[in-house]
RNA sequence: CGGGACAUGGCUCAGUCUGGUAGAGCACAGCGUUCGGGACGCUGGGGUCGCAGGUUCAAAUCCUGCUGUCCCGACCA
């Protein structure tokens, strides 16, 4: 009884975007909140995404000469104190370990005991501890460059958290490199950003804008910070990856010195770069619809689910046999850098079964019943199309075409996201227009509004700050492809030579 | 860390004002009927009402303290 529900997720994106995001994660079984404040449990369907991200990115790093290593979770407090700007940036969100033992209290409760002489900081990032290693590994220009990456967890004690987008503990990779000259380090910074951009676009189907951060948004201690920025469906920007040129700041703090070919003692030039589980939040918010998430096939937790339709007991045997055979044939095929992953769902829960897989965002659903066996066919539905758009293919056609179909979905998701980004990216030259663009009509509960504004900026931090203060809008980046063009700052009217990207941000 | 709200089964909540046997819907399990557009019936399992004190013959309900969560600010991959 009751009216059929129109969408699988309630509320819809238009009704309440932040709430939609939470509900989508719940419905898709990606992750859940943990009993620990601000932390999350990543469930198998969500962790598979991360595994696929890791596998692909890891390969991309290694092609550029990067090797993996692992550094400690704990950083001596004194290490963190070495770089002034770095301390400034992270001091307010560090978890600190002060004891190394638990003792039974009078009521049997456990009390921390054995105070450490030097407190240990749970890494918020590893520049300082990796720098310490680098200082020991490097003594000659012949030792350079050193190109290291680690896959790890880090902790930043955030005030407000959201699953995947901002959690107190998150998974990421952090690359750290040291070079003999500035030029090479600058090139590496840019190279890794390009790796991220290519990964985001080709694997996550996220169109991104590459650019440089303004001084106020720079990584604490960096000389320059490069980033990729993606537009979510609420038209806010999400920083999906960053690459930092650290100059000699951290080399000086950690004593990374080497003897040059000219026999002089020099400080190394270092870089660091990272992407995190936040990317998954970006995938959810870019591609999801009111029926749940839509996984890009390249990183999808699984590619296709087979749904046997069994009406009578007599059907069971032939339908299951047909299904198992199809699964075997599909698993022999390769898409991207892995074999096709096939799920078989035999649960007898009626139509709810298909909807669960829609909510989980699996790229392809295949229904297999007596009719298909009779016609040697399959009944196929694509997650990037409406749930009703199912069509029949012969078994052979399907096996032959599945890789192309997956690729078509991948491309379609990217094209849609790019179209959306273009639609909501506008050049704005008038201050009033700018304010109007970023002011919701309903201030109580802001509707989806705004987008990326390409506007002139004089380069002054004070303008940036006032814009942030008044409109909650920040400079996301100074795009690499910005053309030199005479104009006036959107805020103060002083002359400016190029446009930057403004947006509300996550 | 400042201002506000809340805490009852896995989830969403009623019951609290006016103290007296712990409730509903959804979810879950079993059986049957179903199944290619989100099924239905019957039966069943599951909660010391956030924690610790106090008042009382009696506390989910009243009082005190604590903890946690959410919303709004300051901070952020």
């Amino acid at each position: 009884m009751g009216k059929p529900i129109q969408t699988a997720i309630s509320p819809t994106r238009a009704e309440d975007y932040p709430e939609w995001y939470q509900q989508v994660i719940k419905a898709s079984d990606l992750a859940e909140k943990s009993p620990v404040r601000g932390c999350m449990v990543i469930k198998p369907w969500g962790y598979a995404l991360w595994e696929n991200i890791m596998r692909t990115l890891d390969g991309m790093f290694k092609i550029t000469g990067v090797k993996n290593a692992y550094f400690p979770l704990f950083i001596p407090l004194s290490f963190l104190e070495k770089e002034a700007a770095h301390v400034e940036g992270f001091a307010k969100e560090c978890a600190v370990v002060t004891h190394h033992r638990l003792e039974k209290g009078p009521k049997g409760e456990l009390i921390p005991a054995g105070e450490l002489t030097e407190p240990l900081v749970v890494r918020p990032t590893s520049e300082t501890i990796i720098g310490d290693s680098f200082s020991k590994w490097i003594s000659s220009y012949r030792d350079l460059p050193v190109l290291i990456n680690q896959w790890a967890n880090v902790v930043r004690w955030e005030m407000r958290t959201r699953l995947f987008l901002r959690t107190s503990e998150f998974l990421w990779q952090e690359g750290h490199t040291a070079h003999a000259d500035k030029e090479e380090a600058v090139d590496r910074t840019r190279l890794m950003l390009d790796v991220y951009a290519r990964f985001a676009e080709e694997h996550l189907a996220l169109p991104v804008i590459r650019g440089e951060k303004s001084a106020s948004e720079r990584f604490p201690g960096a000389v320059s910070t490069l980033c990729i920025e993606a537009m979510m469906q609420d038209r806010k920007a999400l920083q999906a990856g960053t690459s930092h040129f650290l100059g000699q700041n951290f080399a000086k703090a950690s004593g990374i010195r080497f003897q040059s070919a000219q026999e002089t003692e020099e400080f190394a030039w270092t870089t660091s770069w990272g992407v995190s589980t936040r990317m998954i939040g970006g995938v959810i918010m870019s591609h999801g619809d009111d029926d749940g998430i839509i996984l890009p096939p390249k990183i999808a937790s699984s590619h296709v689910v087979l749904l046997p339709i069994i009406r009578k007991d007599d059907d069971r045997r032939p339908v299951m046999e047909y299904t198992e055979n199809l699964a075997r044939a599909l698993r022999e095929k390769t898409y991207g850098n892995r074999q096709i992953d096939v799920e078989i769902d035999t649960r007898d829960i009626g139509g709810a079964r298909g909807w669960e897989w829609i909510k989980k965002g699996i790229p392809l659903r295949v229904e297999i019943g007596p009719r298909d066996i009779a016609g040697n066919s399959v009944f196929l539905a694509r997650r990037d199309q409406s749930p009703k758009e199912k069509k029949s293919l012969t078994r052979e056609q399907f096996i032959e075409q599945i890789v192309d179909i997956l690729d078509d979905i991948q491309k379609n998701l990217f094209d849609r996201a790019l179209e959306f980004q273009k639609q909501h990216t506008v050049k704005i030259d008038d201050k009033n227009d700018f304010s109007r663009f970023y002011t919701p009509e309903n201030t109580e509960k802001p509707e989806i509004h705004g987008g990326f504004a390409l506007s002139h900026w004089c380069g002054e931090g004070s303008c940036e700050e006032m814009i942030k203060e008044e409109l909650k809008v920040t400079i996301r980046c100074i795009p690499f492809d910005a053309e030199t063009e005479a104009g006036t700052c959107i805020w103060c009217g002083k002359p400016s030579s190029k446009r930057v990207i403004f947006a509300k941000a996550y």
Side-chain angles (χ1 to χ4, degrees):
Chain A
M1 298 309 277
K3 273 191 271 182
I5 302 161
Q6 299 296 312
T7 58
I9 303 298
S10 164
T12 61
R13 289 162 293 176
E15 284 164 358
D16 187 342
Y17 196 82
E19 183 59 23
W20 167 84
Y21 179 78
Q22 306 280 24
Q23 293 305 324
V24 164
I25 291 176
K26 198 182 283 181
S28 61
D29 212 30
L30 290 179
E32 62 192 19
K33 287 188 183 162
S34 83
V36 183
R37 178 198 176 85
C39 294
M40 66 175 164
V41 174
I42 306 177
K43 300 178 80 174
W45 193 247
Y47 196 75
L49 290 177
W50 185 238
E51 287 180 301
N52 293 333
I53 289 171
M54 281 195 281
R55 180 185 321 111
T56 303
L57 265 179
D58 201 59
M60 292 172 86
F61 295 158
K62 282 172 178 160
I63 288 170
T64 72
V66 172
K67 307 270 192 218
N68 284 332
Y70 187 79
F71 298 85
L73 170 67
F74 302 121
I75 299 178
L77 194 57
S78 58
F79 279 29
L80 218 57
E81 288 166 346
K82 288 175 183 173
E83 216 291 332
H86 196 62
V87 188
E88 179 76 21
F90 286 107
K92 278 171 278 179
E93 49 186 38
C94 284
V96 186
V97 179
T98 52
H99 294 75
H100 66 89
R101 198 167 63 219
L102 291 171
E103 283 175 358
K104 279 246 169 82
K107 292 173 209 151
E109 78 280 26
L110 293 171
I111 300 170
E115 194 170 346
L116 299 175
T117 48
E118 183 183 357
L120 295 169
V121 175
V122 180
R123 63 180 166 221
T125 180
S126 305
E127 274 74 9
T128 57
I129 194 138
I130 293 181
D132 179 69
S133 284
F134 280 11
S135 71
K136 293 174 196 155
W137 297 354
I138 296 163
S139 47
S140 154
Y141 71 96
R142 292 196 177 95
D143 297 326
L144 294 169
V146 174
L147 310 172
I148 292 293
N149 176 64
Q150 80 166 343
W151 291 95
N153 58 339
V154 286
V155 169
R156 296 182 187 174
W157 214 260
E158 300 289 351
M159 287 293 127
R160 288 191 62 187
T161 57
R162 295 183 74 186
L163 292 178
F164 290 114
L165 294 177
R166 178 168 297 106
T167 45
S168 293
E169 180 192 14
F170 57 95
L171 305 182
W172 78 344
Q173 66 54 225
E174 48 180 324
H176 296 268
T177 70
H179 306 264
D181 59 83
K182 180 180 176 181
E183 190 76 343
E184 192 185 297
V186 167
D187 288 350
R188 172 57 63 167
T189 310
R190 179 59 196 261
L191 174 66
M192 297 325 286
L193 189 81
D194 289 342
V195 165
Y196 289 157
R198 199 150 50 79
F199 175 75
E201 301 199 327
E202 292 175 7
H203 295 266
L204 306 180
L206 296 182
V208 293
I209 291 169
R210 308 170 201 206
E212 181 172 350
K213 286 292 187 194
S214 66
S216 69
E217 300 270 334
R218 216 174 265 155
F219 176 76
V223 173
S224 68
T225 289
L226 310 183
C227 63
I228 52 173
E229 296 281 333
M231 185 189 286
M232 305 295 103
Q233 289 182 83
D234 61 353
R235 305 185 210 164
K236 285 189 181 175
L238 181 80
Q239 178 178 305
T242 48
S243 184
H244 316 290
F245 170 58
L246 304 174
Q248 293 177 308
N249 295 349
F250 284 86
K252 285 176 181 165
S254 300
I256 310 173
R257 297 187 195 85
F258 68 96
Q259 208 167 38
S260 72
Q262 292 75 38
E263 299 189 312
T264 56
E265 184 178 70
E266 309 282 348
F267 283 111
W269 300 83
T270 65
T271 79
S272 68
W273 26 276
V275 300
S276 71
T277 35
R278 176 179 241 206
M279 274 189 157
I280 295 172
V283 167
I284 296 165
M285 288 197 292
S286 295
H287 303 311
D289 64 14
D290 294 335
D291 288 328
I293 55 170
I294 302 181
L295 297 174
K298 286 263 178 69
I299 59 144
S301 315
S302 193
H303 296 111
V304 52
V305 61
L306 307 183
L307 304 167
I309 311 284
I310 296 160
R311 297 171 140 201
K312 297 170 293 201
D313 266 351
D314 289 352
D315 295 340
R316 183 172 306 276
R317 186 106 167 245
V319 169
M320 284 314 296
E321 234 164 64
Y322 189 91
T323 304
E324 302 277 1
N325 280 336
L326 179 61
R328 260 194 298 279
L330 293 174
R331 287 185 180 122
E332 278 171 21
K333 309 212 66 165
T334 302
Y335 176 65
N337 56 7
R338 65 191 162 116
Q339 286 179 298
I340 302 266
D341 280 318
V342 185
E343 307 281 334
I344 297 174
D345 188 348
T346 57
R347 289 174 304 163
D348 180 18
I349 54 171
R353 186 175 58 166
W355 281 97
E356 262 188 37
W357 291 100
I358 291 175
K359 287 184 272 190
K360 286 161 82 94
I362 197 161
L364 297 173
R365 305 187 305 284
V366 174
E367 293 171 0
I368 297 168
R371 262 183 255 165
D372 303 290
I373 296 178
N376 197 37
S377 63
V378 299
F379 207 51
L380 176 72
R382 292 169 51 145
R383 183 59 182 88
D384 63 335
Q385 297 172 347
S386 129
K388 11 178 162 167
E389 260 183 89
K390 301 180 193 173
K391 67 173 181 181
S392 190
L393 289 178
T394 69
R395 190 191 120 102
E396 280 62 40
Q397 277 176 326
F398 178 56
I399 294 169
E400 187 150 318
Q401 292 173 15
I402 184 167
V403 169
D404 291 336
I405 296 170
L406 289 171
D407 229 22
D408 193 56
I409 294 173
Q410 182 80 27
K411 184 175 178 303
N412 187 25
L413 292 180
F414 179 82
D415 290 346
R416 276 194 212 170
L418 182 61
E419 182 56 34
F420 185 86
Q421 187 207 77
K422 280 186 184 161
Q423 245 173 43
H424 299 290
T425 301
V426 292
K427 286 188 179 177
I428 299 181
D429 292 314
D430 179 80
K431 188 172 174 178
N432 289 330
D433 290 346
F434 188 84
S435 296
R436 211 169 303 127
F437 189 60
Y438 286 118
T439 306
E441 283 174 20
N442 181 356
T443 45
E444 289 286 302
K445 194 182 151 213
E447 73 282 3
I448 291 174
H449 67 283
F452 287 2
L454 283 161
S455 297
H456 278 276
W457 173 53
C458 60
E460 289 296 327
S462 54
C463 282
E464 213 182 344
E465 206 173 309
M466 282 165 73
I467 292 169
K468 184 176 178 180
E469 187 86 3
E470 286 215 9
L471 298 170
K472 304 211 164 78
V473 169
T474 49
I475 295 173
R476 297 327 302 155
C477 70
I478 304 151
F480 294 147
D481 59 12
E483 292 160 28
T484 304
E485 170 198 284
T488 56
C489 177
I490 193 73
W491 204 253
C492 69
K494 280 190 225 149
S496 147
S497 65
K498 62 171 116 166
R499 291 173 187 274
V500 301
I501 296 205
F502 287 93
K504 293 193 177 179
Y506 275 97

